[in-house]
Amino acid sequence: NAGVTQTPKFRVLKTGQSMTLLCAQDMNHEYMYWYRQDPGMGLRLIHYSVGEGTTAKGEVPDGYNVSRLKKQNFLLGLESAAPSQTSVYFCASSYSIHRGQETQYFGPGTRLLVL
Amino acid sequence: KNQVEQSPQSLIILEGKNCTLQCNYTVSPFSNLRWYKQDTGRGPVSLTIMTFSENTKSNGRYTATLDADTKQSSLHITASQLSDSASYICVVSASGGSYIPTFGRGTSLIVHP
């Protein structure tokens, strides 16, 4: 049982390049989330999904797109990377948002540097 | 606007000592409050989760308290260990269909031998 895994662990991009971050979970969770974490700031929600085939915007969605084609995978895409997107990206999943099932399990993070 | 404020920003203590971290929030309507521990270079790991009706919840040497009236929570760490060195994050979720939790900026705890 690997929990939540993220690929890649680290990536360097040039401004304007595109890339996709992959998140996978093996806990059969319905809900999945993408966050970014910047120095001195709390985690901020980019996009989330409440089930296979569904996605929704979070707090800071601009410049990112997501897809949830399979229940276990949640992809985060950057179409044209900007230096402001340099950050650590965390994926998380939870069984539900309802009482007793809200705990989010986080992946190890992807460190992205945009030059 | 929903906000979560944590204090202190950073804390240094000696191994074996106790400490208390604070979390004040303005999230409304309140659903639940969670404390996470984040080791350097790792993802956050859940320590406790409390709903409106819960005042105290423990997880080993970690005890979280919640005062829903004053909208305050604390995380007490007993007999600290070197492995407790980490960032502790308070997260508050609102009820009513919003899936967007509000994260505090965290308290950085360093435990010295």
Side-chain angles (χ1 to χ4, degrees):
Chain A
N1 192 334
V4 180
T5 58
Q6 293 183 229
T7 308
K9 290 184 171 55
F10 178 70
R11 184 75 183 269
V12 179
L13 288 179
K14 294 181 180 179
T15 297
Q17 287 184 319
S18 63
M19 77 163 294
T20 300
L21 282 67
L22 170 64
C23 175
Q25 53 92 6
D26 60 3
M27 296 175 282
N28 199 34
H29 284 172
E30 289 292 333
Y31 294 74
M32 297 188 75
Y33 317 81
W34 274 109
Y35 294 93
R36 61 178 289 174
Q37 187 175 40
D38 301 295
M41 301 188 71
L43 283 143
R44 292 181 292 170
L45 183 65
I46 304 171
H47 286 280
Y48 63 95
S49 169
V50 302
E52 181 179 323
T54 72
T55 63
K57 294 180 180 180
E59 184 184 356
V60 288
D62 294 342
Y64 306 94
N65 57 77
V66 288
S67 64
R68 182 106 180 262
L69 299 179
K70 294 183 179 181
K71 185 177 183 178
Q72 63 268 34
N73 295 337
F74 196 27
L75 278 63
L76 178 70
L78 285 73
E79 292 185 346
S80 179
S84 61
Q85 294 178 304
T86 293
S87 187
V88 181
Y89 292 86
F90 287 100
C91 176
S93 70
S94 66
Y95 185 75
S96 174
I97 60 164
H98 301 299
R99 184 172 179 172
Q101 301 171 331
E102 318 93 322
T103 297
Q104 294 187 15
Y105 295 84
F106 284 81
T110 293
R111 284 147 187 80
L112 176 64
L113 174 62
V114 182
L115 302 174
Chain B
K1 179 182 178 182
N2 291 334
Q3 287 187 315
V4 175
E5 300 289 340
Q6 292 187 243
S7 62
Q9 187 174 353
S10 61
L11 183 61
I12 301 175
I13 62 174
L14 292 175
E15 186 178 14
K17 297 296 185 182
N18 303 336
C19 67
T20 300
L21 314 180
Q22 300 290 344
C23 173
N24 296 339
Y25 62 92
T26 59
V27 177
S28 182
F30 176 84
S31 175
N32 63 71
L33 184 146
R34 290 165 271 169
W35 282 95
Y36 284 87
K37 178 188 180 188
Q38 185 176 21
D39 293 316
T40 300
R42 309 286 290 272
V45 175
S46 179
L47 292 174
T48 63
I49 180 169
M50 289 183 293
T51 58
F52 185 86
S53 59
E54 297 173 299
N55 303 102
T56 302
K57 184 160 284 189
S58 293
N59 179 356
R61 293 179 297 102
Y62 301 101
T63 299
T65 64
L66 174 65
D67 185 334
D69 292 331
T70 62
K71 299 186 177 181
Q72 296 179 326
S73 175
S74 64
L75 180 69
H76 186 74
I77 304 175
T78 304
S80 61
Q81 301 176 357
L82 298 180
S83 59
D84 292 331
S85 295
S87 179
Y88 292 84
I89 303 171
C90 177
V91 185
V92 184
S93 294
S95 59
S98 171
Y99 301 107
I100 303 177
T102 302
F103 284 76
R105 296 185 179 186
T107 290
S108 176
L109 174 65
I110 298 175
V111 180
H112 277 311

